[in-house]
Every structure is written in C-alpha cells, then in structure tokens.
Amino acid sequence: YYFRIDGLRIPDAVPIVAEPVRVAGDLLQFTTKAADEAPRTYFVAQNGSDDNLGLTPDSPFRTIQRAANQVNVGDTVLVGGGTYSETVRLRATGSPTAPISFRGRPGERVTLDGADGLLDFAFVIGKKSQLRFDNFVFSGHGARTSESGAWEPYL
C-alpha cells in the first residue's frame, strides 16, 4: 500500500483563523504493512525487567506500562501476582474481533494500587475501545475500590 500527500484543500464552509500550513520541499512518502502482525502475548512480573522483550514467562517486563507501550490489535498482557503502583496509559485500541486484553494470571492476586500515584486512575484509556481487563484488584483509587472479573469498557 502506498499513501501520498500532495497538498491540502480547506473546504469553503470552514472559517480560517490563521494562515493554512503550506507543504514545501520533498513529498512525504511511506509504506504501510499489507497485514497486521499476528497477536502476541506479553508477560509482566514483579521480578521482571523493562529491558526484557516480555515475550516469554522467563523474560517478563517489570511494569504493565512497558507492556502497554508494545500492545497492538489482538494482543494480550498477562500480569503475574503482586502489587503494581502505576498508572497505565494506553495508546493502542483493539478491534471488535481482536480486543486488547490485560489479564491477571489465573490463581494469582494482581493488585493495581493507586495510593501513591499522581493520578487517581489505574488505566487511562481515553478514546480507546475494544479493551478487556480481567482478574485485577483495584485499590487506593479514590473512594471506589473494586475487583474486576471481566470489565470491558467499550467507549
């Protein structure tokens, strides 16, 4: 696939408050992938390192945020037991047939603790959709403390 921008046209009905940006110099050219990559599973654990690849249980990431920075459509993040004091900001969004999933490992207690956080959120997911969160305990996030069985915000 090829995509090329030759110039901009502003519709007549749109009021202009500033001079439009003019494209100068060489044309911007890039290619896109012909198909999405196969979904991956990323691993997070208390004994991990954000320098790891996070693709196997033996080389997990340390933070959920590091995994969130890697996810794409259909990916899963499997989080090992323990307490994670972080606010995770998601940049990717899933699709109806391939949501992005964040899951606590079955049989392990995974707590997202916001008591020391600057923001009162475990996940910041503004304008993202098709996300799934399973088996997490949310603690220290304002007055509401809850446990998720299978919380799916479709925004």
Side-chain angles (χ1 to χ4, degrees):
Y1 298 93
Y2 295 92
F3 181 75
R4 179 176 163 166
I5 301 172
D6 287 321
L8 301 174
R9 187 182 78 72
I10 299 171
D12 296 331
V14 175
I16 305 298
V17 238
E19 284 298 313
V21 174
R22 302 285 178 212
V23 179
D26 294 334
L27 294 175
L28 172 66
Q29 294 184 352
F30 57 92
T31 58
T32 60
K33 294 179 183 176
D36 289 330
E37 294 179 8
R40 293 181 175 184
T41 298
Y42 293 97
F43 296 87
V44 176
Q46 295 282 295
N47 64 346
S49 168
D50 283 348
D51 292 330
N52 289 340
L53 294 177
L55 294 171
T56 68
D58 295 330
S59 64
F61 292 132
R62 169 63 180 96
T63 62
I64 301 168
Q65 181 64 60
R66 178 70 169 97
N69 291 344
Q70 302 300 313
V71 294
N72 204 345
V73 175
D75 288 347
T76 297
V77 175
L78 191 59
V79 182
T83 300
Y84 297 83
S85 300
E86 57 183 299
T87 295
V88 180
R89 291 166 182 81
L90 289 165
R91 295 184 179 111
T93 190
S95 75
T97 58
I100 296 173
S101 299
F102 288 81
R103 296 185 171 145
R105 275 192 163 166
E108 297 184 24
R109 184 177 176 95
V110 180
T111 302
L112 300 176
D113 186 0
D116 295 327
L118 297 175
L119 296 177
D120 198 19
F121 306 104
F123 291 93
V124 177
I125 57 172
K127 299 190 181 196
K128 305 295 183 264
S129 62
Q130 309 302 331
L131 305 171
R132 183 177 176 99
F133 302 88
D134 292 317
N135 198 29
F136 290 104
V137 175
F138 297 94
S139 174
H141 294 99
R144 296 184 197 153
T145 300
S146 64
E147 296 198 21
S148 73
W151 177 52
E152 298 182 51
Y154 291 107
L155 307 174

